Amino acid sequence: MMEALGKKRKGVETLGTCKKNLIPLTAVVSHLSLEYCLRRKKKCKETVVTANIGSSRSLVAGVVTGPPSGSACIDTPGRGLKRKIGCIDAATRMGRKKKIEQEYDLGAVIGQGKFGSVVLCRSKASGEECACKMLQKGEEIVHREVEIMQHLSGHPGIVTLKGVYEDADSFHLVMELCSGGRLLDHMAREGRYSEQRAANLLKELMLVISYCHQMGVVHRDIKPENVLLTTSGQIKLADFGLAVRITDGQSLTGIVGSPAYIAPEVLTGDYSEKVDIWSAGILLYGLLVGVLPFHGDSVETVFDAIKKGSLDFSGREWESVSQSACDLIARMLARDVSVRFSADEVLRHPWILFYTEHTSMTLFSQAKMKNHVKLTSRQLTVGPGMESERNKITASISLNDDSGLILSSSSSTKMLEGEDSGLVDVLAAAISRVRISEPKRSRLCSPVRIQQDCSSNIKVNSLCTAF
Ligand SMILES: Nc1ncnc2c1ncn2[C@@H]1O[C@H](COP(=O)(O)OP(=O)(O)OP(=O)(O)O)[C@@H](O)[C@H]1O
């Protein structure tokens, strides 16, 4: 298994040019390595900015952000690296007594980051296979990455950090293994995603992003390279090397991220957690059409496109994409941050609800099969203006006493044979007219306690008290 995975990853890395119908990897990969330059050059010494929070002023720096109020992690700019290393000491007291080699067998390289490699490893005690990220000492960023992974640990959509080991030259971060590879590689292999698949994937991702934001963490590097998959296909957000903690109303500065996915406000000044929504919007765009909206030959031209380029959904590649999907992308890629959707707003968008809510999909399938579904009493009729421009469809939506959406539709045969986007638009628009209650936190984000084996040094959901 260890060898097989190592070989698989090696193969994946060669996917630079693609066969017919596959997405060229370069079309979605963030090949311009901005964060590398910045990490090297600045070692994350981001600008310290001040922001008004109610009556108090708060200092925020990229590396030493203030924690959410009430959190145990309190730091102020000026505390040194030694203080931060205390965090790792506390988290890995047991692990540091032993070298990683005493507890794990190290195997093949399964990934290459810019600051070290990721290898397969197997617990000597339990036989469990994990991934081990090896980072050279001297990168302040390690401490923040560890602290944030601990802070977020326990959510099923986040790679669990199982332990941190240290030797003279490097840190070893032992993480749960995501054998399914990177989302980027799936996109390159499989080509454009269907709307249903993209919506389900985006929903999973947005649940994780929503959780991060609720926990006061901005990831700042959302991209398909950092979305890993398990063997069962569940997504796991990885690489918190650029993540930072933030409180409501605080703003961040410092140009970090991967150029093609960077939000415009990152380039011009203060920014907030909404940068993650922008990056996820770019990812959704890539999932649906296989290219990214803002690209260029150099970092500068990419940044120019991000600042000035407009979204264009009129190309051939968009013909089969529903207007509702385009609407969501436009809301996620709104340059005006005040109107850009939050993670929870994305999750409540009709396009997401349509493809991911059980009632909607059941009805959609029934509509496709029978071309006519009628199930209920209390009718909520889609108005006469709801006829799709692309497909001749009429539909009526009803809401039964159990709040299940009910559809009565008729549509052209042509649409049912292949072009579903019109029906999607009609239903999504209808769904948007139904009052959708505020999602309960438990529904949006239900962190589960991950069982960790006894070799783990990290307590689930423990907060680092050293910051
Ligand atoms: N838990 C894991 N399970 C399986 N593979 C992993 C895991 N973590 C990382 N990898 C692999 O290692 C690669 C590099 O990991 P990661 O992104 O964390 O490193 P990095 O140095 O921060 O990378 P980047 O260049 O994106 O900044 C990933 O793209 C992935 O292929």
Side-chain angles (χ1 to χ4, degrees):
M1 168 66 189
M2 291 173 82
E3 267 181 29
L5 188 63
K7 278 180 188 155
K8 186 180 162 208
R9 301 274 344 141
K10 229 173 162 183
V12 161
E13 297 297 339
T14 62
L15 267 172
T17 51
C18 295
K19 292 179 203 157
K20 205 173 168 226
N21 296 331
L22 301 190
I23 299 177
L25 199 55
T26 49
V28 283
V29 74
S30 45
H31 58 289
L32 299 165
S33 169
L34 177 68
E35 77 268 40
Y36 175 76
C37 311
L38 286 160
R39 279 180 183 179
R40 278 267 168 260
K41 205 167 142 193
K42 299 167 76 179
K43 292 238 175 109
C44 280
K45 283 179 194 154
E46 294 156 34
T47 319
V48 176
V49 294
T50 57
N52 280 316
I53 305 171
S55 58
S56 64
R57 285 173 77 77
S58 170
L59 273 172
V60 189
V63 176
V64 284
T65 52
S69 54
S71 162
C73 285
I74 297 171
D75 198 2
T76 52
R79 289 197 181 186
L81 183 61
K82 204 172 169 191
R83 179 83 176 127
K84 293 187 185 75
I85 286 173
C87 171
I88 292 191
D89 282 343
T92 63
R93 199 168 289 123
M94 285 172 66
R96 291 187 67 211
K97 285 183 188 160
K98 293 179 181 176
K99 299 281 172 247
I100 186 165
E101 290 84 1
Q102 289 178 265
E103 295 198 347
Y104 288 90
D105 289 319
L106 299 180
V109 174
I110 54 172
Q112 192 62 51
K114 294 186 187 70
F115 298 93
S117 45
V118 177
V119 302
L120 204 55
C121 64
R122 190 197 303 271
S123 164
K124 292 185 178 180
S126 66
E128 185 190 13
E129 287 188 320
C130 298
C132 174
K133 184 167 173 174
M134 307 207 265
L135 293 159
Q136 292 293 309
K137 280 191 173 174
E139 291 288 346
E140 257 185 62
I141 207 162
V142 176
H143 311 291
R144 183 171 56 183
E145 185 168 1
V146 168
E147 189 270 333
I148 286 179
M149 284 184 86
Q150 284 179 264
H151 180 54
L152 298 175
S153 191
H155 191 282
I158 288 172
V159 171
T160 304
L161 181 65
K162 290 171 173 281
V164 183
Y165 297 79
E166 183 181 355
D167 60 26
D169 306 316
S170 42
F171 290 108
H172 305 276
L173 276 55
V174 176
M175 303 171 282
E176 74 174 299
L177 180 64
C178 302
S179 309
R182 305 179 304 177
L183 174 60
L184 178 74
D185 303 316
H186 287 260
M187 290 164 76
R189 266 198 304 269
E190 296 161 32
R192 294 171 61 165
Y193 276 39
S194 69
E195 289 197 29
Q196 185 182 346
R197 205 161 159 223
N200 279 280
L201 199 144
L202 185 74
K203 179 179 177 180
E204 269 195 73
L205 180 63
M206 294 315 300
L207 286 170
V208 184
I209 292 175
S210 169
Y211 172 72
C212 291
H213 292 177
Q214 284 171 38
M215 296 292 282
V217 171
V218 187
H219 186 279
R220 299 201 297 183
D221 201 15
I222 301 288
K223 57 179 179 178
E225 291 93 315
N226 288 336
V227 177
L228 305 181
L229 288 109
T230 63
T231 33
S232 64
Q234 192 195 347
I235 68 148
K236 300 267 178 183
L237 186 57
D239 195 358
F240 288 84
L242 295 180
V244 68
R245 297 182 70 181
I246 190 172
T247 62
D248 281 350
Q250 289 183 321
S251 55
L252 299 165
T253 60
I255 303 179
V256 296
S258 301
Y261 294 84
I262 279 184
E265 68 271 19
V266 173
L267 305 173
T268 53
D270 298 347
Y271 58 90
S272 68
E273 77 287 348
K274 289 274 185 88
V275 297
D276 288 343
I277 309 299
W278 175 281
S279 306
I282 301 277
L283 196 157
L284 174 58
Y285 189 114
L287 281 172
L288 290 173
V289 293
V291 289
L292 299 182
F294 308 117
H295 40 81
D297 296 334
S298 64
V299 172
E300 288 72 32
T301 50
V302 175
F303 285 173
D304 268 355
I306 290 169
K307 283 190 268 192
K308 298 177 207 140
S310 56
L311 285 175
D312 180 11
F313 298 115
S314 63
R316 270 188 68 90
E317 67 275 25
W318 290 99
E319 275 172 15
S320 59
V321 178
S322 68
Q323 289 165 10
S324 186
C326 300
D327 177 78
L328 177 57
I329 291 172
R331 289 173 195 276
M332 295 176 79
L333 298 183
R335 283 210 175 78
D336 180 351
V337 179
S338 66
V339 301
R340 188 181 308 155
F341 268 9
S342 67
D344 290 350
E345 284 171 322
V346 173
L347 286 164
R348 293 198 297 269
H349 189 274
W351 184 74
I352 296 284
L353 294 176
F354 172 74
Y355 277 115
T356 62
E357 292 293 306
H358 175 72
T359 46
S360 309
M361 276 318 296
T362 305
L363 289 165
F364 184 51
S365 309
Q366 288 173 333
K368 281 178 79 176
M369 280 189 302
K370 298 179 186 170
N371 197 14
H372 184 86
V373 180
K374 191 165 187 213
L375 300 167
T376 192
S377 48
R378 193 148 49 92
Q379 273 218 326
L380 186 120
T381 306
V382 176
M386 290 301 299
E387 196 166 283
S388 164
E389 282 174 16
R390 280 189 226 145
N391 304 292
K392 301 288 177 209
I393 307 169
T394 58
S396 70
I397 301 289
S398 304
L399 198 63
N400 67 15
D401 290 339
D402 300 325
S403 296
L405 277 172
I406 305 303
L407 161 74
S408 174
S409 78
S410 62
S411 57
S412 72
T413 315
K414 178 174 170 267
M415 191 277 292
L416 286 176
E417 276 168 1
E419 296 177 4
D420 293 332
S421 61
L423 181 55
V424 173
D425 286 332
V426 171
L427 289 174
I431 288 168
S432 71
R433 294 182 177 198
V434 176
R435 190 185 64 80
I436 297 160
S437 56
E438 193 73 18
K440 292 191 177 73
R441 193 176 184 279
S442 61
R443 201 172 136 226
L444 273 179
C445 151
S446 48
V448 295
R449 191 165 280 267
I450 306 274
Q451 285 293 327
Q452 295 186 349
D453 73 72
C454 53
S455 67
S456 168
N457 302 311
I458 309 289
K459 281 195 182 128
V460 171
N461 280 336
S462 67
L463 278 175
C464 169
T465 51
F467 271 67

